[in-house]
Amino acid sequence: EKLNVVLGSTVPKLASFDNDQKAKIYLKKLQYLVGGLAVVGLLLMPLADYLLPIVLGVEYIQSIGVFNILLLAQLIFLISLPVHQSIFYYFSQPKFFVIVSLVNLAVMLSLGVYLINQMGVIGAAWAVLISNLLNLAIPLLWVIWKFQKGHQR
């Protein structure tokens, strides 16, 4: 929740940039912030093996693998937030996420059903992870392309 406040406070700044160079510098700083938080999350991930049984009980030991996959998926989502914000507020292209959402829906419906049938609940976690990877990759490639092409405000 506090991260939403921090990232939300970046919106006016990001929307105010009048050239790509300023936007790139600012986005790089944001990416370092969320990247650092993601690294902390990765470093703390092994603690789940010890904390989940203590906090939730030994009957939840089987959920550690699913928890770790979903935590990784959320860390990837966290890393994608500055890219998403740049599309919304610097490039002013929120419609782009209609396409991304449709791709995510297709992945979750097709791959999700397949992986759940093959692997059970861990398959659902893998589908979320793959969907979040696409949710990072597609917008990231688009932003890189827009910056290389040159964006006029």
Side-chain angles (χ1 to χ4, degrees):
E1 193 169 300
K2 291 178 183 179
L3 182 62
N4 284 336
V5 171
V6 170
L7 289 175
S9 68
T10 66
V11 169
K13 180 97 170 161
L14 192 55
S16 73
F17 292 124
D18 58 359
N19 68 57
D20 286 356
Q21 192 59 32
K22 291 178 186 175
K24 285 181 194 178
I25 291 168
Y26 192 69
L27 286 170
K28 196 178 286 188
K29 290 177 185 178
L30 282 177
Q31 206 61 61
Y32 284 135
L33 171 68
V34 297
L37 292 171
V39 167
V40 169
L42 280 174
L43 293 174
L44 293 175
M45 191 181 286
L47 290 177
D49 295 353
Y50 303 104
L51 290 179
L52 279 176
I54 293 168
V55 173
L56 299 175
V58 291
E59 61 271 13
Y60 287 93
I61 245 172
Q62 300 273 345
S63 68
I64 291 172
V66 173
F67 176 84
N68 284 332
I69 294 168
L70 290 174
L71 177 59
L72 185 58
Q74 287 307 105
L75 294 175
I76 290 167
F77 178 75
L78 172 67
I79 291 169
S80 73
L81 291 178
V83 172
H84 291 188
Q85 284 192 332
S86 71
I87 293 171
F88 272 100
Y89 302 108
Y90 179 67
F91 294 106
S92 301
Q93 293 293 322
K95 295 177 197 172
F96 176 79
F97 283 99
V98 172
I99 296 164
V100 173
S101 296
L102 291 173
V103 169
N104 278 330
L105 178 63
V107 166
M108 289 304 293
L109 287 176
S110 59
L111 189 61
V113 169
Y114 174 77
L115 290 176
I116 290 169
N117 283 331
Q118 296 297 311
M119 305 166 77
V121 71
I122 203 150
W126 280 110
V128 170
L129 176 65
I130 292 165
S131 178
N132 281 0
L133 281 169
L134 288 173
N135 199 31
L136 169 63
I138 294 169
L140 178 62
L141 292 172
W142 187 88
V143 167
I144 291 169
W145 172 72
K146 287 296 272 188
F147 276 134
Q148 286 177 346
K149 183 176 145 190
H151 174 258
Q152 302 298 319
R153 289 224 28 145

